[in-house]
Amino acid sequence: MSDEKNTLTPEKEPTAEQPVEQEKKELQSHEKSGEKKAKSASAKKEKSTKTALSPKEIDQLILENADLKTQCRETRDNFLLLAAEFENFKKRTTKDQLRAREFYKESLLLDLLPVLDDIERAMKHHGEDETGKAFSLIFTQLLTYLAKYEVLPFDAVGSDFDPDKHDAMMTRSEADKKNNTVLEEFQKGYMIGNKILRHARVVVNITE
């Protein structure tokens, strides 16, 4: 092999110009960074200057805040008032519905009473025969049905006349009976719970 092949290529040594160029780049980088910081500080200062409020503007904001608080209070009070009115409306509606149901129930039950009157008259007419027994059975069943709704007959004969329970159809005088007592019953009276469903039609004894 020849001497040329064995000869190694020498490495390049760094020149004196390379450190200088590096320093220039670093200086340029610092300068750019400083410019950015300066611009940022300037922008913040301008923004701070722009957002600063005058005393007049501050007073205006205070007044607006007070108005908003007043409006909030008024809105809350109106809401509470409406809520209370709505609650009262629901209670009134519930009571009205209950009264309406009671009224219709009482009306229906009252319409059944003339049927009972007819059956009772038929029982008296037929006595103890088969027809009379059949009417008696129906009469008992109807009374049981009405009792489920607290509808019960009350006795009038022998009791003191009470205009809240009795309708006086006529008067009669019997000396051996107490004055103002019920002598006879034309039509039986009925109660529903503690209320009068139908007054009893009676004959009252008047001796004075």
Side-chain angles (χ1 to χ4, degrees):
M1 297 178 68
S2 63
D3 296 336
E4 292 178 359
K5 291 182 180 179
N6 294 329
T7 304
L8 296 174
T9 304
E11 295 181 356
K12 291 183 179 180
E13 295 180 358
T15 62
E17 294 177 355
Q18 289 178 341
V20 175
E21 291 179 358
Q22 185 67 27
E23 289 178 1
K24 286 182 179 180
K25 288 181 180 180
E26 290 178 357
L27 287 172
Q28 289 175 354
S29 175
H30 286 307
E31 288 176 358
K32 288 180 180 179
S33 177
E35 288 176 0
K36 287 182 181 178
K37 289 181 180 179
K39 286 181 180 179
S40 177
S42 177
K44 287 181 180 178
K45 186 176 180 181
E46 289 178 2
K47 186 177 180 180
S48 176
T49 303
K50 288 180 181 178
T51 55
L53 298 175
S54 65
K56 185 177 180 180
E57 290 174 329
I58 293 173
D59 291 340
Q60 182 65 28
L61 288 174
I62 292 172
L63 291 175
E64 291 177 359
N65 184 51
D67 290 340
L68 287 173
K69 286 182 178 180
T70 301
Q71 291 176 10
C72 287
R73 283 195 298 270
E74 291 176 352
T75 303
R76 182 195 61 190
D77 293 342
N78 290 334
F79 172 77
L80 293 175
L81 179 62
L82 287 173
E85 290 179 351
F86 181 66
E87 190 64 27
N88 291 333
F89 168 76
K90 288 198 298 183
K91 290 179 180 178
R92 286 196 303 271
T93 303
T94 302
K95 288 181 180 179
D96 291 342
Q97 290 174 345
L98 290 174
R99 280 197 294 265
R101 281 198 289 267
E102 287 296 317
F103 173 77
Y104 288 126
K105 183 180 77 172
E106 291 177 11
S107 297
L108 177 62
L109 296 172
L110 185 61
D111 290 340
L112 286 175
L113 298 184
V115 179
L116 279 176
D117 295 336
D118 291 340
I119 294 174
E120 192 173 15
R121 281 191 287 268
M123 286 166 52
K124 291 178 180 178
H125 176 72
H126 287 282
E128 295 298 325
D129 62 15
E130 293 299 322
T131 303
K133 291 178 180 179
F135 277 121
S136 178
L137 179 62
I138 295 171
F139 185 78
T140 302
Q141 288 176 340
L142 282 175
L143 284 179
T144 302
Y145 171 77
L146 291 174
K148 292 180 181 179
Y149 297 94
E150 299 182 287
V151 177
L152 297 171
F154 60 87
D155 294 326
V157 177
S159 63
D160 292 336
F161 175 75
D162 184 353
D164 291 332
K165 297 172 65 177
H166 309 132
D167 285 339
M169 306 304 295
M170 59 182 296
T171 61
R172 198 162 61 215
S173 179
E174 293 186 12
D176 59 334
K177 301 289 176 61
K178 189 172 69 170
N179 184 52
N180 204 41
T181 57
V182 176
L183 299 175
E184 188 179 346
E185 187 179 68
F186 288 147
Q187 188 179 69
K188 190 174 289 295
Y190 286 84
M191 298 189 69
I192 179 168
N194 295 321
K195 296 190 302 181
I196 297 295
L197 181 61
R198 189 180 75 177
H199 287 67
R201 294 181 177 180
V202 298
V203 177
V204 183
N205 186 40
I206 299 295
T207 58
E208 297 178 359

